[in-house]
Amino acid sequence: MTSSAAERRARVSAILDRLGVSGDNPGAWAGAPMATAGRRVASFDPTSGDELGAVLLADRGQYETVVERANEAFKSWRMVPAPKRGEIVRQMGEALRAHKDDLGALVTLEVGKILSEGLGEVQESIDMADFCVGLSRQLYGLSMHSERSRHRMYEQWHPLGPIGVITAFNFPNAVWAWNALVALASGDTVIWKPSLKAPLTAIATHKICQQVLDAHGHDGVFGLIIGDDAEVGEAMIHDHRLPLISATGSTRMGRHVNQAVAGRLGRCLLELGGNNAIIVEPTADLDLALRGILFGAVGTSGQRCTSTRRLLLHESIADAFTERLAAAYGQVRIGDPLEDGTLMGPLIDEGSRAQFVSAVRAAVEQGGEVLAGGSVVDSATVLEGSTGAFVQPTLIRAHKDMQICKEETFAPILYVMTYSELAEAVAIQNDVPQGLSSAIFTDSFRSVERFLSHEGSDCGIANVNIGTSGAEIGGAFGGEKETGGGREAGSDAWKAYMRRQTCTLNWSPELPLAQGVRFDL
Ligand code: NAD
């Protein structure tokens, strides 16, 4: 082991120690109904290939305990006045702030995104906490004018119950915050089932926030269940005690979850795969566009739901711009995501690397041409002794009918196509099953309005002179079509976590019926 590899290991173990997630089964701390005897699942650092720690999987019995506790806790939590719930969420935000550096580094360690993105992810959770403090005083209902004299009509919002939150590996902290903190402010309790690829981030996050709940004597408001899909995941989605399942992950998973939850007439909030495009017009600031495209397509190693996967260039600028882009791709620093200067870390695992290889092969078979990258990277050249799944950021000249361009490959592959009219570019952009994020780079006012109009982008997110990824929490986040239709985080996304009640109050001595109906004895 070189001294730098030794130093790295020492740094990693200090981070895990400070967050209380080192050693075997760190989830089994006092008071948490975590497994003590289940199947052991290790969490690996995708950069080095080292085992970071391991958890024992919860079984059906432990799942029952967590749900019962959440159900019981709901009875008292819903009666805590919303602004007081907001104050507790505020304190969680402070606790996350205090642990931001370590928690951000843990995100980097567990999923391989560069440190600045790991820290940014925790910042997103802190921002969510701040947002939810205000939200706790703004759970507004409308009031209406009744058609009947001396009647009052209004609607109010009640907490829904214990909420099931299923999260994807690639945002192991922030997706939880989008859901859990809004649910908490809304008066719900939460049961979190994280991805088995990032269990330590979930345990650390849960511990940090549980300490705040403990200080206020609220047991069972947050539940964490780390188990496999067949035993715990299936139990969750079929559980009629959970009125809402919020699931983030692949479209394949979402389709299955949706059917199971619909079968019991429960509610689903789905945040699924994307296949996001950027359109670049001849009037665009091309320097800006280049930076936006690079971050969107290469950032997080192409492992964001909002990663840019398709680039639509106007034919008049296509050749020169593609050349610049290919040159920029050649300069992307692939390396240890913990180190300053690294722009791209590894893919999450060998399975993802295999999908990268097969997508590049399929693209070439379907008529594509690799313009930059296209290969896997020998991990030993990145970090001594590493077995990580590193690949090159890849640019492929493609045409709109290639089937592979309509699929989401969770890797840094960007398909470049050309167009002649904006209407054609928008049609190509929309002609995929997914509908998450979209962007246009242009200085033309008309093109902007066309892109944002009813005949423009069909996605949940439409940006101008900004790339497809890196959304702020203030807006409602989510997408259409096979992305699932859910909306999370800011704006009025909180309504998904509450039930609406319409109330009509009669303060007259009469009993007039609506629509003039008479029913007198
Ligand atoms: P995945 O679908 O493999 O897993 C997501 C989660 O679903 C995991 O926690 C997994 O254990 C769980 N799951 C799988 N089968 C289940 C079942 N039968 N019952 C209950 N839970 C089950 O996805 P992933 O590889 O972790 O994440 C990558 C995918 O997530 C990509 O498609 C990406 O676009 C998507 N994603 C979407 C958003 C969004 O907001 N739209 C955000 C992040 C990631």
Side-chain angles (χ1 to χ4, degrees):
M1 194 193 306
T2 67
S3 66
S4 70
E7 275 164 25
R8 187 181 192 278
R9 284 195 179 145
R11 182 179 174 195
V12 169
S13 90
I15 293 165
L16 299 177
D17 282 347
R18 283 197 296 272
L19 289 169
V21 291
S22 48
D24 246 31
N25 212 23
W29 74 95
M34 300 291 290
T36 50
R39 179 162 70 89
R40 182 181 187 276
V41 168
S43 169
F44 291 98
D45 173 354
T47 304
S48 64
D50 292 347
E51 185 174 311
L52 292 168
V55 293
L56 299 181
L57 296 192
D59 62 15
R60 188 61 199 255
Q62 277 129 8
Y63 170 77
E64 277 304 314
T65 310
V66 173
V67 174
E68 274 314 309
R69 282 166 50 137
N71 234 346
E72 210 40 47
F74 176 62
K75 292 176 192 157
S76 51
W77 182 248
R78 65 185 168 185
M79 297 312 293
V80 176
K84 296 233 165 6
R85 297 195 297 256
E87 167 57 18
I88 291 176
V89 174
R90 188 190 68 74
Q91 292 175 25
M92 287 181 185
E94 290 299 301
L96 289 167
R97 264 188 189 91
H99 291 89
K100 177 179 167 183
D101 287 350
D102 283 334
L103 200 52
L106 179 57
V107 170
T108 290
L109 282 173
E110 247 189 342
V111 306
K113 59 178 74 173
I114 60 171
L115 187 56
S116 146
E117 290 190 66
L119 294 169
E121 173 159 359
V122 178
Q123 185 59 47
E124 200 169 330
S125 296
I126 294 166
D127 293 344
M128 275 310 299
D130 290 349
F131 177 86
C132 289
V133 181
L135 175 66
S136 71
R137 292 182 185 268
Q138 298 174 74
L139 302 170
Y140 299 137
L142 296 173
S143 69
M144 301 88 187
H145 287 259
S146 170
E147 65 188 53
R148 289 168 280 185
S149 170
R150 298 190 172 91
H151 282 56
R152 183 161 76 83
M153 272 180 83
Y154 73 103
E155 58 186 25
Q156 56 179 347
W157 293 86
H158 294 296
L160 207 52
I163 305 299
V165 176
I166 296 170
T167 53
F169 82 84
N170 65 326
F171 274 88
N173 177 264
V175 170
W176 162 85
W178 290 353
N179 285 282
L181 300 181
V182 173
L184 227 61
S186 303
D188 301 328
T189 55
V190 177
I191 296 154
W192 181 14
K193 196 209 78 57
S195 164
L196 290 183
K197 293 177 184 172
L200 300 184
T201 304
I203 292 171
T205 305
H206 185 75
K207 278 188 175 183
I208 290 166
C209 292
Q210 184 60 44
Q211 280 164 12
V212 176
L213 287 166
D214 285 346
H216 291 273
H218 289 295
D219 188 38
V221 169
F222 273 166
L224 176 66
I225 189 89
I226 300 180
D228 65 23
D229 298 335
E231 186 158 9
V232 163
E234 287 294 317
M236 221 173 153
I237 62 182
H238 287 98
D239 195 333
H240 67 275
R241 293 167 295 183
L242 307 183
L244 171 69
I245 298 289
S246 172
T248 302
S250 59
T251 294
R252 178 194 53 76
M253 176 279 296
R255 189 171 278 122
H256 173 73
V257 169
N258 194 31
Q259 283 166 359
V261 178
R264 61 178 172 87
L265 297 183
R267 279 196 214 168
C268 245
L269 203 171
L270 298 173
E271 297 285 355
L272 310 176
N275 187 353
N276 319 294
I278 292 181
I279 297 171
V280 184
E281 289 231 299
T283 61
D285 177 333
L286 295 180
D287 294 336
L288 210 65
L290 190 87
R291 285 166 50 204
I293 293 160
L294 214 54
F295 176 64
V298 173
T300 334
S301 309
Q303 296 175 113
R304 287 191 188 217
C305 52
T306 51
S307 289
T308 311
R309 310 213 176 275
R310 295 173 298 140
L311 179 61
L312 306 173
L313 298 176
H314 188 267
E315 56 192 7
S316 64
I317 55 161
D319 287 346
F321 191 76
T322 307
E323 214 167 287
R324 276 187 71 188
L325 197 57
Y329 262 57
Q331 286 170 11
V332 170
R333 280 181 303 278
I334 302 170
D336 180 350
L338 273 183
E339 296 300 329
D340 279 349
T342 298
L343 285 184
M344 209 183 98
L347 293 176
I348 187 69
D349 56 21
E350 284 169 25
S352 284
R353 184 172 49 197
Q355 281 168 11
F356 165 86
V357 170
S358 110
V360 173
R361 189 182 309 125
V364 171
E365 281 167 10
Q366 290 169 24
E369 180 195 351
V370 176
L371 301 172
S375 304
V376 303
V377 172
D378 178 0
S379 53
T381 63
V382 178
L383 186 74
E384 196 194 341
S386 160
T387 56
F390 291 89
V391 300
Q392 294 176 320
T394 297
L395 204 58
I396 296 180
R397 196 194 313 278
H399 58 83
K400 67 180 173 60
D401 297 325
M402 282 167 51
Q403 178 54 32
I404 193 72
C405 301
K406 306 200 180 207
E407 297 165 12
E408 181 195 50
T409 303
F410 225 47
I413 302 173
L414 181 65
Y415 302 111
V416 187
M417 303 170 217
T418 54
Y419 71 91
S420 52
E421 299 293 334
L422 179 57
E424 180 195 356
V426 170
I428 296 171
Q429 183 212 268
N430 291 345
D431 187 25
V432 291
Q434 310 83 356
L436 181 51
S437 188
S438 58
I440 188 168
F441 280 82
T442 181
D443 274 357
S444 157
F445 169 74
R446 282 190 176 154
S447 296
V448 170
E449 289 297 327
R450 169 72 175 75
F451 178 72
L452 298 177
S453 75
H454 295 331
E455 52 182 355
S457 165
D458 66 358
C459 294
I461 296 167
N463 295 335
V464 177
N465 294 334
I466 299 176
T468 55
S469 65
E472 297 177 27
I473 61 104
F477 180 90
E480 305 300 332
K481 303 191 293 187
E482 289 193 0
T483 302
R487 291 296 185 278
E488 289 177 355
S491 183
D492 65 351
W494 60 270
K495 289 178 177 172
Y497 302 80
M498 302 195 79
R499 63 183 168 87
R500 185 195 311 238
Q501 188 170 60
T502 303
C503 309
T504 308
L505 288 75
N506 174 11
W507 54 281
S508 79
E510 312 295 329
L511 191 65
L513 299 178
Q515 296 90 39
V517 173
R518 301 201 62 88
F519 200 78
D520 299 327
L521 283 176

